[in-house]
Amino acid sequence: MDKKKDIMNIPKQPISQRILKYTLTTAIVFASLWSAAGLEITIERILDAPRQIGILVGAMFPLDTSQEAIDRIIPKVFESLFIAWAGTVIGAIFSFPVSFLAAQNVAVGAVSRITKQILNAIRAFPELILAFVFLPITGLGAFTGTLALGIHSIGTLGKLSSEVIEGIDEGPLEAIKSSGGSKINELIFGVIPQVMPTITSYWLYRFEINLRASAVLGVIGAGGVGQELINQLRFRDFPRAGTVLICTIALVLIADAISASIRNRIIQGKVVKS
Amino acid sequence: MINIPKKPPPSYLVTIGIPFSILFTVFSFQRVGFNLQDFRENLANRAIVTDPLFNPKWSWAWENTADAMVETVQIAILASIVGCALALPLSFYASRATNLNKYSYFLYKSFLNLVRTIPDLFWAMLFTVAVGIGPFAGVLALIMFSLAIMGKLLSETIDSIDPGPMEAAKATGSTHNQTVFTSALPQVLPNFTAYFLYIFELCIRASVILGLVGAGGVGRIIETQRIFLRFDRISPIIVIILVVVILIEQFSVWIRRKIL
């Protein structure tokens, strides 16, 4: 092997790179061992897990497709869809003007910095914690989940949109200015047409994320399909839990596919047949 | 006069999509029970949560959350490492550039899509039922979570690699596996590292809420205190979580700058 290397004259990796490589490998190995030991995860438990998961999956089939189960589950699944959509709309409406205030090239320096910090603070709270705060105001139900998702979406969409606005091409703005356009004209004819496609696709992307989050919010009683799943699992009604799971997967897959195809159409434009 | 060209007619996406989405929005707001009047009347009730929330009991939190916080970080570390390690070979199978077999490509791709559709907390619920309540269920749930994200990001990166080096390797007579190992893998390793750090951050955030369904971590303490409406104990925990998340993000930014 050594001789072969001599002939081929393969250059050796520099020593600093090799040291980095070995330190990283040991760090990763030690971090995982430390974690596994701390969580009391043993080899037996790992080897036994597939069997236990198999038992659970086996218990779900055949699925519970009785009329009563369907009547209960389908509205819950759609409730999740409505929560996600309404939350996204709240986020989109409020984040749109805010993102202009947060963009450095549109707003004054101080305004943009303060707005950005506010958006960061909103984003720091997970949706579930926001839902806790809204529970005593709006009660158990879908509205609580909608508000929690909406507020969180304002934070994330505001950050993403303001970054889009910061990345625009300054040329059209200059052209409007030189033809005598006001600051407002610059925004309406220079900035918005440039950023709208990307921001709209972010809204749709956020909708996909919110759909998964709204499925989860039910765990604390904020509406949606999560409540149904956790109840069925608590009552050990596995066939019905399986039905809930399959319906959720179907909804998310279909919504994802529609939203992704619209996003592609917006970003890449119409495919012109030639 | 200036000869302004005619505007092209709006596409179906605009003529049908916009009215439809407005209708759907109105319908959704009705169905979720959007009601500002009730909201204003009950706004005083927020005192139940916000008053204790802004009167944090720091001493209690210091004594009781340290163990659970360490557990949260451990769950995130283990799950992101194992999940990403599992995703590395899977995403090579789930990419058209490196998997020549159309059927197995489709199979792996749909598997990754299927894993991705199930939310992380659903995985946690399922695994707590399957392997019992505790951090092991949380680790398994986050493994699926990071596997799904890494699989999607990495397989799409592999789709767009430069085919030149692979052709060169093939021209020297290497087998398909050798080609993938020597010319496809090194191209995506920097992306893999960047995605790994990103997923690790996501896992830290996600592992905080796992405890709500009994899958270990600091969420367990939040859940027990929430049932007793002890929000004065929850708010310091939230602050501690925020500090830990920010520290870890800074750390991962630092590593990213070192490596890439």
Side-chain angles (χ1 to χ4, degrees), chain A residues 119-170:
Chain A
L119 289 178
N120 278 342
I122 295 175
R123 254 174 342 112
F125 287 96
E127 287 107 336
L128 276 171
I129 307 284
L130 286 172
F132 291 159
V133 177
F134 284 119
L135 266 181
I137 303 173
T138 50
L140 291 170
F143 190 31
T144 308
T146 311
L147 284 177
L149 285 185
I151 303 262
H152 191 78
S153 303
I154 294 176
T156 47
L157 285 176
K159 177 181 185 274
L160 289 173
S161 312
S162 71
E163 279 166 5
V164 174
I165 295 170
E166 281 169 5
I168 56 165
D169 178 12
E170 301 279 335

Side-chain angles (χ1 to χ4, degrees), chain B residues 60-145:
Chain B
W60 185 88
W62 283 127
E63 283 163 28
N64 293 283
T65 50
D67 288 349
M69 202 63 223
V70 172
E71 196 176 278
T72 295
V73 176
Q74 284 174 329
I75 291 175
I77 291 176
L78 194 61
S80 55
I81 290 176
V82 175
C84 291
L86 288 177
L88 186 61
L90 278 181
S91 28
F92 278 96
Y93 282 113
S95 162
R96 234 165 303 169
T98 47
N99 191 347
L100 304 175
N101 188 328
K102 225 180 353 180
Y103 301 105
S104 85
Y105 156 77
F106 181 74
L107 218 70
Y108 281 104
K109 193 94 188 164
S110 347
F111 170 72
L112 286 179
N113 277 337
L114 188 70
V115 175
R116 214 159 51 84
T117 47
I118 301 180
D120 46 353
L121 215 57
F122 276 26
W123 281 120
M125 287 184 218
L126 292 175
F127 283 127
T128 44
V129 175
V131 303
I133 281 176
F136 187 45
V139 173
L140 289 178
L142 285 190
I143 286 177
M144 301 312 267
F145 174 71

Side-chain angles (χ1 to χ4, degrees), chain B residues 106-215:
Chain B
F106 181 74
L107 218 70
Y108 281 104
K109 193 94 188 164
S110 347
F111 170 72
L112 286 179
N113 277 337
L114 188 70
V115 175
R116 214 159 51 84
T117 47
I118 301 180
D120 46 353
L121 215 57
F122 276 26
W123 281 120
M125 287 184 218
L126 292 175
F127 283 127
T128 44
V129 175
V131 303
I133 281 176
F136 187 45
V139 173
L140 289 178
L142 285 190
I143 286 177
M144 301 312 267
F145 174 71
S146 38
L147 173 74
I149 301 174
M150 180 58 103
K152 179 179 165 54
L153 290 176
L154 195 64
S155 64
E156 278 170 7
T157 313
I158 298 170
D159 277 338
S160 62
I161 55 169
D162 178 12
M166 284 183 70
E167 243 171 70
K170 236 173 250 164
T172 61
S174 67
T175 63
H176 181 68
N177 283 344
Q178 286 169 336
T179 315
V180 170
F181 258 101
T182 53
S183 32
L185 183 64
Q187 281 192 58
V188 295
L189 269 187
N191 300 73
F192 178 74
T193 323
Y195 297 152
F196 168 72
L197 291 170
Y198 167 67
I199 286 169
F200 176 58
E201 285 166 27
L202 289 183
C203 275
I204 290 270
R205 284 168 188 276
S207 64
V208 168
I209 57 166
L210 286 178
L212 294 179
V213 294

